[in-house]
Amino acid sequence: MEQVAGRGIYEFGDFRLDAGRRILCGVAGGGRIAITPKVFDVALFLVEHAGELLTKSRLLAQLWPQAVVEENSLTQAICDLRRAFGEQPHEHRYVVTVPRRGYQFVADVTRVAESRDTTGSPDWSVAVLPFDHAGREDDDDLIATGLADSIVHGLACTNGVRLVAQTSSFAFRGRHDDARTIGRRLATRYLIEGSVQHCGTRLRITTQLVDTTDGKQVWSLMFDRDAVDLFAVEDEVAAHVVLALRTSLGSRLDAAAGA
């Protein structure tokens, strides 16, 4: 594979690409844009070779060095990248297709800073969704909101976790979108979601961590508690969830480091 000396932060058009942190985002506070790791690799190679005509064979050798893939894999990645850039059909502000030859990144690129190299580090981005509740009383809604707030507060102090703002994650209150859809819209790897059932003085609280890349559940916790002291219940649940998250991500980090 070709090696590029030094990895930086690049700006072009309406976008900023951070090579070290592997983030593509809007320049004017547009937020992180969710793209797959392979599409990010395509974007990075194009940006770092802006102005050059990159042949399909060169791109395939760079991006899939140890695999035999067909050109349609590259074509799909370019299509996904153009969609992320907001390019319309026949619009070529960023990527130009040179028929039968390859692709060229045509936007002006400015290297604005050096980036902290975290290539290969897992993405520990987490969004805490509003908890569901079956009750119609205001108290049930307050309990559900309080649980999510307590978990957010606990995670805010967790090193290495990028926490999605509640103003964004709470926009999904009362909705039942697919986890992968939510992950793309919030640009997050993991979701913490849960539910509250209230029966007399008893509470049953369930919460789970979901990986948005495949929609699979990583772990699930369930609590049966007396609703006498709601603040104590919220703090206890939040503490268990934060500990479970730290343990889970820590083990995955170790696994990634040993891979």
Side-chain angles (χ1 to χ4, degrees):
M1 293 179 63
E2 299 179 37
Q3 299 295 323
V4 178
R7 286 289 169 90
I9 299 175
Y10 305 92
E11 289 188 356
F12 47 90
D14 300 325
F15 301 95
R16 171 176 291 190
L17 185 147
D18 187 325
R21 297 173 63 201
R22 295 182 62 81
I23 291 174
L24 175 68
C25 62
V27 174
R32 181 172 177 172
I33 298 168
I35 55 177
T36 66
K38 185 57 65 178
V39 174
F40 184 91
D41 291 341
V42 174
L44 178 59
F45 196 69
L46 288 173
V47 167
E48 289 181 327
H49 295 81
E52 295 183 38
L53 171 59
L54 301 176
T55 63
K56 294 179 180 180
S57 59
R58 182 180 176 188
L59 285 166
L60 289 170
Q62 169 66 24
L63 299 167
W64 288 273
Q66 298 178 336
V68 178
V69 298
E70 297 180 356
E71 284 188 8
N72 59 2
S73 296
L74 175 60
T75 301
Q76 183 60 53
I78 293 290
C79 181
D80 291 343
L81 181 60
R82 283 178 167 147
R83 187 179 299 112
F85 288 152
E87 285 194 333
Q88 301 299 318
H90 309 299
E91 185 180 13
H92 304 293
R93 291 179 295 148
Y94 299 101
V95 182
V96 168
T97 300
V98 181
R100 295 182 296 279
R101 296 190 65 188
Y103 302 94
Q104 185 176 19
F105 195 81
V106 295
D108 292 331
V109 176
T110 302
R111 185 175 180 135
V112 297
E114 292 300 314
S115 176
R116 182 170 59 89
D117 187 5
T118 58
T119 302
S121 296
D123 179 9
W124 297 153
S125 52
V126 180
V128 181
L129 299 182
F131 277 42
D132 290 330
H133 62 88
R136 298 182 179 180
E137 299 180 8
D138 291 341
D139 285 348
D140 292 327
D141 188 57
L142 289 174
I143 295 170
T145 301
L147 284 165
D149 286 341
S150 296
I151 294 171
V152 168
H153 178 74
L155 290 178
C157 302
T158 301
N159 292 332
V161 171
R162 181 180 66 82
L163 190 60
V164 174
Q166 279 182 278
T167 52
S168 298
S169 60
F170 272 38
F172 290 88
R173 181 188 296 272
R175 295 170 55 175
H176 299 282
D177 300 62
D178 178 78
R180 286 169 290 190
T181 300
I182 298 175
R184 288 193 297 270
R185 293 181 179 177
L186 295 180
T188 187
R189 172 70 184 274
Y190 296 100
L191 300 178
I192 292 178
E193 56 186 16
S195 64
V196 180
Q197 298 179 63
H198 197 176
C199 182
T201 62
R202 300 293 294 174
L203 288 175
R204 170 164 290 182
I205 300 164
T206 60
T207 182
Q208 62 180 346
L209 180 71
V210 178
D211 190 330
T212 65
T213 61
D214 55 15
K216 294 182 179 179
Q217 183 186 91
V218 180
W219 49 252
S220 177
L221 300 173
M222 185 171 69
F223 306 85
D224 284 320
R225 295 293 185 270
D226 198 329
V228 174
D229 188 342
L230 291 178
F231 289 158
V233 173
E234 290 172 5
D235 290 344
E236 179 189 4
V237 172
H240 280 285
V241 169
V242 172
L243 178 60
L245 180 70
R246 289 173 175 170
T247 302
S248 176
L249 299 192
S251 64
R252 289 188 167 206
L253 179 60
D254 292 340

